[in-house]
Every structure is written in C-alpha cells, then in structure tokens.
Amino acid sequence: MRILMIGDIVGRPGRRAILNSLPDLRSELNIDFVIANGENAAAGHGITKEIAKQLFAAGVDVLTMGNHVWNKKEIIDYIDKEKRIIRPANYPPGTPGLGYNIFPAKDGVLIAVVNISGRVFMQELDCPFRVVDQVLAEIGDQTNIIIVDFHAEATSEKVAMGWYLDGRVTAICGTHTHVQTADERILPKGSAYITDVGMTGPRDSVIGVTVDSVIEKFITQMPRKFEVADTDYQLNAVVIGVNPQNGLAYEIERVFNLE
C-alpha cells in the first residue's frame, strides 16, 4: 500500500497545485490513499466548506488541520458533519470535530488518521504525548495502519514524538513550518518519519506570504497585513510505503513538484 501525505496547502496557489497535480500523481506514484493538511487552504488561514469539497473532489481522501482550524467560523458547524476533516486531538473535550478517524482504503484495508498539535511556541493545548497514547488505546486493534500528522513548530518536539511513537504507528509526518526537511527515514522499529512534509502553495514567497510584506515587517517592526503570494506553486509531499500485514512502513520518499 502506498499513502501520499501532502504538506500544508496554502491559499489559491496551493489549491491550484492540488487540482492540477494530484490526479496525475495518484496514477504515476500508484497511490492508494491521500492525506493533506488543509489548515491554510482558505487565503492562508483556515478552511471553508466549499474549499474542502473542492479538495475532496480533486482526490484528497482526508484533510488534517492545525492551529488555524477555527479561523473560518463556518467550519465550526461543518466539521461535525464532515468526518473526513480531522482537527488536533489535543483540543479540550467537547471541541467540535474529531481528532482521529478510521477510513476504508484499497481492498477494504482500514487506515487511521490522527492529528496532534505541538505545544512549544504554539497554543498550549493538552499534552500531545499523553493524548496520542489515549488515541492509540481507542484505536486498539481496529487497524494497524496509523498515520499521525504532528502539527508543531519546534523541531525537537517533532523528533521526540517520532521516537516516542516508533513501532506503534505507521508514520509520523510533521507539518506547520512550511519548509520540507531532508530527514525522511524509517526509524528502527519500523515507523516512517519526517520532521516537516513542507508546503503546497506559492513557491516565490516567505512560507506562503508575499515577500515584500514580510521583509518590511522584519525591517520596520511595524504591523503589516500578510497576504498569500500569487506565484507559481510548489507541491510538497511524501509517499509512504506500507506493509498492510503489520502496519509498518518499508519506505518514505519526498515529493517536490513545481508548476
């Protein structure tokens, strides 16, 4: 089985990348299941119902989220109805939506998709390490194929989570920083790992934002409205090869496509 995990979709260029590239990628890479982080899909902040539908229609099977999950108010009601959108599991009890869900893939094989948010330099939610333990206990023996999107800022926190989950999940894929890292590997107990999958959005930008506005902010330290850059896109992802018998990964390969 081959699973494609796509890095943070940012604004219109990111959505264009999915619409233009994903159908061919699914075929060329022999992909069975597609997960994408969509928390920046609507103008760089959050996601809307219509955008989610557009991404699903283009071939995304599941959308994970992150710290911008609630930026578009309409998602608060929609996320309870659309079980293919997964928000961080370590939000407090009673928060709308699901922190994980289990989906059928090729030949009826079940895949669990888990979303967890980091706490270092980010909103302090419940402990991601303790919460992921609770989630894995709930998943139990329903499936041994488990993909974790760890949406976190600090490299150290992501690496620690990788070691913590090694052998217990299929893959730990970092998101949030919008820069694809070159440390993809299979950890000793069989889990695939990468610190950050990267960004699917405007290539000539500062992590998705217009270059001039960010430079001006750094130089002047004055408030400045940030907008998604309107440039050619890049698509960052990883392909994870999975042994469905034991749920462990046998390969992880980076994908970097340009418009």
Side-chain angles (χ1 to χ4, degrees):
M1 172 170 286
R2 289 166 66 79
I3 297 172
L4 184 70
M5 174 70 199
I6 300 173
D8 302 46
I9 300 169
V10 179
R12 192 182 303 275
R15 303 197 305 270
R16 190 169 71 245
I18 298 297
L19 296 175
N20 292 350
S21 301
L22 184 54
D24 287 341
L25 281 177
R26 286 197 75 136
S27 175
E28 292 168 6
L29 300 175
N30 194 25
I31 299 299
D32 300 302
F33 196 79
V34 177
I35 306 164
N37 187 288
E39 72 135 13
N40 300 123
H45 298 283
I47 195 168
T48 66
K49 176 180 178 180
E50 292 307 314
I51 288 175
K53 287 184 174 181
Q54 183 184 53
L55 296 173
F56 290 137
V60 174
D61 294 299
V62 177
L63 286 165
T64 52
M65 300 298 287
N67 55 300
H68 291 303
V69 59
W70 310 121
N71 283 44
K72 306 300 180 188
K73 292 182 179 179
E74 66 182 81
I75 204 65
I76 295 174
D77 291 330
Y78 183 60
I79 202 169
D80 270 333
K81 302 171 185 175
E82 181 48 82
K83 306 304 182 184
R84 292 174 294 176
I85 301 178
I86 309 298
R87 49 84 175 156
N90 47 334
Y91 273 100
T95 301
L98 299 172
Y100 76 92
N101 205 356
I102 299 173
F103 305 91
K106 184 179 179 181
D107 299 328
V109 174
L110 298 178
I111 297 175
V113 180
V114 182
N115 195 189
I116 299 287
S117 179
R119 296 195 295 182
V120 179
F121 308 127
M122 296 183 71
Q123 181 180 3
E124 291 205 5
L125 303 178
D126 294 344
C127 173
F129 294 87
R130 296 181 191 277
V131 169
V132 79
D133 281 343
Q134 296 168 7
V135 168
L136 295 184
E138 291 174 10
I139 292 171
D141 60 2
Q142 295 180 74
T143 180
N144 59 8
I145 302 177
I146 304 170
I147 308 297
V148 177
D149 175 348
F150 189 34
H151 198 77
E153 179 78 23
T155 299
S156 59
E157 191 177 22
K158 292 180 178 182
V159 173
M161 183 63 79
W163 288 111
Y164 188 67
L165 293 178
D166 183 25
R168 302 166 64 194
V169 303
T170 306
I172 307 96
C173 298
T175 59
H176 179 65
T177 63
H178 294 197
V179 177
Q180 189 178 63
T181 55
D183 61 341
E184 75 280 7
R185 62 179 292 194
I186 304 297
L187 294 172
K189 296 179 182 178
S191 296
Y193 174 82
I194 186 168
T195 296
D196 203 282
V197 179
M199 177 188 73
T200 296
R203 187 185 189 198
D204 295 334
S205 68
V206 178
I207 60 173
V209 176
T210 55
V211 172
D212 289 346
S213 64
V214 175
I215 291 175
E216 182 179 336
K217 170 68 175 177
F218 277 121
I219 291 174
T220 68
Q221 292 299 299
M222 294 295 292
R224 178 66 194 260
K225 182 180 180 180
F226 289 157
E227 296 181 350
V228 173
D230 186 12
T231 74
D232 290 349
Y233 63 71
Q234 65 181 42
L235 186 149
N236 285 168
V238 289
V239 178
I240 303 157
V242 183
N243 181 345
Q245 300 303 313
N246 60 17
L248 297 177
Y250 60 83
E251 70 174 350
I252 179 170
E253 180 181 356
R254 280 180 288 140
V255 175
F256 185 84
N257 274 21
L258 298 175
E259 188 172 35

